[in-house]
Amino acid sequence: MFSHQEASSSHTSRAKAPAIPRETRRELANRVSWATASHVLEPFEALREVLAKNDQVPPASLGAFLECGLTSNQAAEILATHHYNELASSTGSRVWWLLFKNQTGFFSLLLWVASALCFVSFALDPKAIDVFYLGIVLAVVVFLTGLFSFYQEYSSARVMEGFRGLVPPKVTVLREGSSAVIQAREVVPGDLVVYQAGDLIAADTRIVEAIGFKTDESSLTGETEAMRKNADAVHGTVRPVDASNLAFYGTLAVEGTAKGFVVLTGDETIMGSIASLTSGLEATETPIAREIRVFVWMISAIAISLGVVIFVLSFAVTGSGIVMSLVLGIGIIVANVPEGLLATVTVSLTLTAKRLAKKQVLIKQLESVETLGSTTCICSDKTGTLTQNRMTVTSCYVNDEVHEVPSSEEGWAQGSEDARKLMVDSTFETLFKIAVLCNSGKFTEADRGKPVTERLCSNGNASDYAFLRMAEAIPSLHEALTTDGDEASTMGGIDKDSEGGRVFWVHELRKRCPCPYPEASVPFDSRWKFMASLCTLESGGGGAGGGGVLFVVVKGAAEVVFSRCSTMLLRGTQVAINSRLEARFQQVCEELGARGERTLGVAFRRLDGPLATGGGGAGGGEAPGGWRGGSPEEANYPLGTAHLASSRRGAEGTAGVANWAGDALCYVGLLGLKDPPREAVPSSVRAARSAGIKVVMVTGDHPTTAAAIAREVGILTGPTGAGASGGGGPGGGQGDEGNSEGAPRECGPTRAIVTGPELETMPDDQLQRVLLMDEVVFARTLPVQKLRIVESARSMGHVVAVTGDGVNDAPSLRRADIGCAMGLTGTEVAKEAADIVLLSDDFSAIVDGIEEGRLIFDNLKKSIAYTLSSNIPEISPFVLFIVARFPLSLTTILILCVDLGTDLIPAISLAWEAPESDLMRRPPRDAQRERLVTWKLVSFSYLQIGVFQALAGLYSFCVVLSDYGWPLSALPNSAHKFEAYPLDEKRRTIAPSCPCGGGRPATGNFLDSQRTVAIRGGSLVEDSGAELSAEDREACDPRDIGIKWDEDWPFGYGCPFGSIKPTQECKFSPTRSPWGRPCYRPSVALRCAQTASLVSIVVVQWADLVVCKTRLLSIVSQGMASNTVLLFGLFTETLLCLALCYLPFMNTAFRTEPIHPVHWFPSMPFAVFIFVYDETRKGLLRRSRRLAAIQGAPRGAVGFVERYTYY
């Protein structure tokens, strides 16, 4: 994929490659080997060399090549033997790296270590077969979890690559004499390419024609100043990177136009070589990645610390063997690690990418969307972002009169008397002719025959397209171009095209009025705010004529063009501009601006003398050495520059010779264009305001136009005072321009409209005071001023999102916390500098992205709160075992069943949770204080919900043991007595209470039911036979074999069932299957109680999952049906729990038992309590906020409940 090195950012809110220092970049550029010496050759020689290397026959001459370029066959042959124009992909190695990374995250490493310790324990005690199986389970679990995270991350990466394919970089090439726009990756060596300002250079290119062409090579060399390029061969030992006739892959065209042929592509380019040298650079960390890293380290530190403490206490204090102590330590680590968290994070980010894709938003760095959720200030362009970018000419000002302009052929045909007068007005004809000739746009060939309003245009901007559509619809233009020799027309005719309506009239007009010196054009630039061309206007009427005479034609910001004029064209006569005309012009601009119209002016100047004659300066057809353009300073024809610096002089009536002899222009009139707001923008602005986000308009338009649109979309809501939405200079811009004086006009105590000239003289502290106002509009701003606004807002602590589409917007896009480039109208460099690309150019997409960013953070908090709450009921059994020698109510394998079984899908399902209804009414998150995991969240999960869950588990455990004969009072200091075979406290020898008997072993292969064990004198004796030996019979009383009787207890117990004596009667019949089996069998009863403890965690997690759906709102408000995945999660965790309880193979594998149905109920009151507790807590939170709002408490003031429980 075609790409270039991204410019470095001075802040770390985005995951971009770190900046390479300027010296390093220059050094790298000099070190790489360049496989050609094209820069030291003349253009044709260099071309021959390139084609010869690719086995192609060179053209007869450079001129022939410049007219035709390569043929399609030649391009196909070169591509077949060459490679695509893209840097080598590391997809293969990246896949393996992703897999390795997801298997070796810190949580994963903890579990890998835990698995290894299990195998070590088994090696120390081969009879501990259950520890061996635990090691296998841990290894499988961590591998499958890593595999799932890998799959999600890899799928997300592929989704993002697919999104990027929606905006593939394009380049204009000339093949077989026709211009074509192709994907940059399809460019081949020898291709003739055309560049203009705003394009990324598609490959290392040898320049053969250049008009004021400059490139920004800062991404290559680190030099900040744009480099001028020309076609001259470089002599001497100049290095390729310093050659003025080479444009390099991935750099940016910032000024002018150029033609050249491709020399090297892809990895062979200088940028490709540098990329291979710098491929080891790592990306900086995004905020969400940093938050997760901190959380992982925090939980890991807790897990490791508790695991070590438990191991030491178990081994050193209680005297347990090393194997048992290791198992306990591993259990603590496993209980603390939320194994499914990273999978939840990956799923959340992937879902966000897909949701935003449907909303036409491309997130270049996926994790950056969370930063977007923290946005506090949006600096938005107007045109195309807040508006539809469908400019239509709606009015014009000619002959000192304002007229409405129809927008379609039907409108002209059925128009008013005013429209019919315009069609025959020579001044209006000159106006629209200049608007078409001084214009970069053109209709696409595919739209021939379509209605004018439905035609698409290429090149140019929205204003250019509007002028083309306006002129194309004018019937008088059609008649003039199809009437041969009509003297009444001011244009020469052409024969009617055989296809009739399939003629592009504006293209025919350009053929009749050619621009013979394209290299002398002055392209539009925000620094001078107009564009100029040299064109021939065919005949004389209206003062803009003169057969075959060269004219300067100018189009640009209305007041800028007006300031360069000394005369105005009124009904065919050039009249000196006086104070009355100036005041009238000012009034018209303000009136049109107040209607939300952008105003652009046109002017001309005749260069005296026929085109064919020589001469010089303004008085001849051609200047010595030819006409030059590029910029107003470089142009050698009159553009009103000298007049601009002088005071306007002139009397009423026709302009005098002295006035015309200067370089001043003649003002023809202006055109008013309307770009209606997008339908969804007003509601999006309201949503942003309710979310505590300041929306600032930053536009190059006139203040009155900006204020009108701002009022329509809701950025300005209150009334504006006199001069607040007008004044400050007439007209409207074509880009980012400004020309007004004065102080900021305040529209009330919390509103201001500030123009570019005002901003230029405004100190930083005053700008910050302006940004503190509620409603702010910046009009007539320059790109450098936009950057200053962004930096000022960031210095005030704002998290700034800024929109932009032009080359000059790139600094602002880079500097902002979130740069939002336009996908339709944005230049490639703007898209590269931005973090997200709005594929529809719609402001509403930014607000959607902010909501999604907040939702990610919100849902991750909920998922973590849900996951951590089960840690306490998982840890507490081990603590009770160490402190009170309490039987383990939960084994390590059952903990894994919870973390990676019953809890996994519910935790992930919270990623699908819909936003709470107050999500966009909350103030933006303070990234410095509101972290992903706070002590309040830990308190909520561990000390509130976690404690309730631990009590539920302990209660269920004790209830089950009590029902089977062992009440709570019998449990302390009895952990060793509940083994499958009775051992002493250190689990080394048979307990003395069991001198004789037989049964299954306490250790070894517990799945092997054929093994039998005999006891002689309290020691284990393995015997393969079923009968007791003679020695057994002599040493043991027959009554003690298998069953030990007690006069105080009429029921049997003894060696086959364990060594702890029941103290109460079993509540279930010992003969009833399956619920009666555990009666007086301690080891079986223990497994039943442990299974009930597992069930209790699942039951209370039902309630926990429901309460974690919201952080503030009641579940009644949020509803349950909004998240069907969560309902599926509830179903699956219940189904898995049932399987663990009642499927025989699951009982065998996880050492569970089928529990009586009644034992599902002891934990249910705790689930109800958790639900009621949390609903009460949230109710108090909402009540506290309502009271604070009623009492007028300052924003940010919180009550006791919120201060200590709102996570």
Side-chain angles (χ1 to χ4, degrees), residues 314-330:
S314 176
F315 184 73
V317 178
T318 66
S320 299
I322 188 170
V323 174
M324 183 61 184
S325 301
L326 278 174
V327 170
L328 291 176
I330 292 168

Side-chain angles (χ1 to χ4, degrees), residues 958-1201:
C958 293
V959 165
V960 173
L961 285 182
S962 177
D963 286 350
Y964 290 134
W966 289 275
L968 177 62
S969 60
L971 299 183
N973 202 34
S974 66
H976 63 286
K977 299 177 181 179
F978 279 89
E979 298 291 346
Y981 206 78
L983 303 178
D984 65 3
E985 293 187 11
K986 295 186 178 181
R987 297 172 55 89
R988 294 170 185 163
T989 60
I990 295 297
S993 60
C994 189
C996 301
R1000 290 173 57 190
T1003 59
N1005 186 359
F1006 65 86
L1007 296 178
D1008 186 356
S1009 60
Q1010 301 302 317
R1011 297 183 63 192
T1012 59
V1013 174
I1015 299 175
R1016 184 182 302 114
S1019 299
L1020 287 174
V1021 177
E1022 296 189 10
D1023 190 349
S1024 58
E1027 299 292 332
L1028 289 176
S1029 65
E1031 294 178 353
D1032 288 333
R1033 298 179 190 279
E1034 293 177 3
C1036 300
D1037 190 301
R1039 293 183 307 166
D1040 293 333
I1041 298 177
I1043 295 293
K1044 182 174 182 179
W1045 298 93
D1046 191 310
E1047 295 178 357
D1048 300 328
W1049 190 252
F1051 306 101
Y1053 74 99
C1055 298
F1057 311 117
S1059 61
I1060 182 170
K1061 179 180 178 180
T1063 58
Q1064 63 185 34
E1065 184 178 353
C1066 179
K1067 292 186 178 181
F1068 306 102
S1069 169
T1071 61
R1072 201 170 74 197
S1073 179
W1075 321 121
R1077 290 189 299 112
C1079 284
Y1080 316 125
R1081 293 170 171 80
S1083 62
V1084 182
L1086 178 65
R1087 289 199 298 272
C1088 284
Q1090 290 169 340
T1091 305
S1093 185
L1094 168 71
V1095 168
S1096 75
I1097 292 179
V1098 171
V1099 170
V1100 292
Q1101 284 290 72
W1102 291 344
D1104 188 24
L1105 186 61
V1106 172
V1107 301
C1108 284
K1109 275 175 64 70
T1110 64
R1111 294 171 58 204
L1112 177 67
L1113 299 185
S1114 168
I1115 189 62
V1116 177
S1117 302
Q1118 184 77 351
M1120 290 293 296
S1122 60
N1123 190 346
T1124 56
V1125 181
L1126 183 140
L1127 298 177
F1128 176 74
L1130 286 171
F1131 171 76
T1132 55
E1133 78 170 327
T1134 305
L1135 190 65
L1136 180 57
C1137 187
L1138 288 169
L1140 288 168
C1141 287
Y1142 302 115
L1143 292 182
F1145 74 92
M1146 298 286 257
N1147 296 152
T1148 302
F1150 296 99
R1151 305 192 72 178
T1152 57
E1153 290 288 335
I1155 63 173
H1156 196 287
V1158 75
H1159 289 152
W1160 281 71
F1161 292 95
S1163 57
M1164 288 188 178
F1166 291 88
V1168 174
F1169 178 79
I1170 287 173
F1171 178 80
V1172 172
Y1173 166 81
D1174 200 64
E1175 283 292 294
T1176 303
R1177 181 185 67 85
K1178 292 172 185 172
L1180 292 174
L1181 277 174
R1182 296 191 298 274
R1183 179 176 178 273
S1184 174
R1185 291 191 177 186
R1186 284 195 301 270
L1187 289 175
I1190 293 172
Q1191 296 169 2
R1195 189 169 186 173
V1198 295
F1200 176 86
V1201 177

Side-chain angles (χ1 to χ4, degrees), residues 381-402:
D381 282 341
K382 178 182 73 67
T383 304
T385 307
L386 299 173
T387 61
Q388 299 178 21
N389 200 27
R390 289 207 304 263
M391 282 290 188
T392 303
V393 177
T394 56
S395 58
C396 68
Y397 172 61
V398 291
N399 299 323
D400 200 21
E401 296 175 348
V402 177

Side-chain angles (χ1 to χ4, degrees), residues 668-877:
V668 179
L670 63 81
L671 292 162
L673 301 92
K674 184 67 178 290
D675 184 12
R678 294 178 181 270
E679 293 181 3
V681 168
S683 60
S684 296
V685 171
R686 288 194 297 272
R689 286 187 183 281
S690 66
I693 301 168
K694 180 189 293 292
V695 181
V696 177
M697 179 190 288
V698 184
T699 180
D701 269 348
H702 188 276
T704 52
T705 307
I709 297 297
R711 282 194 295 270
E712 287 190 60
V713 300
I715 293 177
L716 289 179
T717 58
T720 56
S725 60
Q734 185 173 351
D736 302 321
E737 56 265 14
N739 189 26
S740 298
E741 304 260 343
R745 290 173 294 279
E746 295 194 9
C747 314
T750 60
R751 302 180 187 93
I753 300 175
V754 182
T755 65
E758 295 165 352
L759 189 58
E760 190 172 348
T761 59
M762 184 181 292
D764 290 341
D765 59 341
Q766 188 176 354
L767 174 57
Q768 291 185 357
R769 285 197 296 272
V770 169
L771 288 171
L772 286 172
M773 297 181 180
D774 294 331
E775 300 170 2
V776 183
V777 172
F778 292 95
R780 282 291 188 242
T781 54
L782 299 169
V784 66
Q785 294 170 331
K786 185 175 184 178
L787 176 61
R788 183 185 172 203
I789 293 168
V790 170
E791 290 179 333
S792 182
R794 293 190 73 235
S795 69
M796 297 169 64
H798 279 295
V799 177
V800 182
V802 64
T803 66
D805 56 3
V807 174
N808 290 329
D809 288 323
S812 300
L813 293 170
R814 293 191 187 105
R815 185 60 178 158
D817 295 279
I818 290 291
C820 309
M822 304 296 105
L824 297 177
T825 59
T827 59
E828 291 299 331
V829 69
K831 296 173 188 175
E832 288 295 328
D835 297 284
I836 68 176
V837 178
L838 309 179
L839 300 178
S840 61
D841 290 8
D842 192 349
F843 173 84
S844 302
I846 302 175
V847 180
D848 291 337
I850 290 174
E851 184 174 12
E852 291 293 343
R854 291 188 174 193
L855 185 59
I856 280 183
F857 198 82
D858 223 31
N859 286 349
L860 284 180
K861 270 184 170 287
K862 295 173 183 177
S863 182
I864 291 172
Y866 171 80
T867 303
L868 292 184
S869 61
S870 62
N871 282 8
I872 295 300
E874 292 171 352
I875 295 171
S876 55

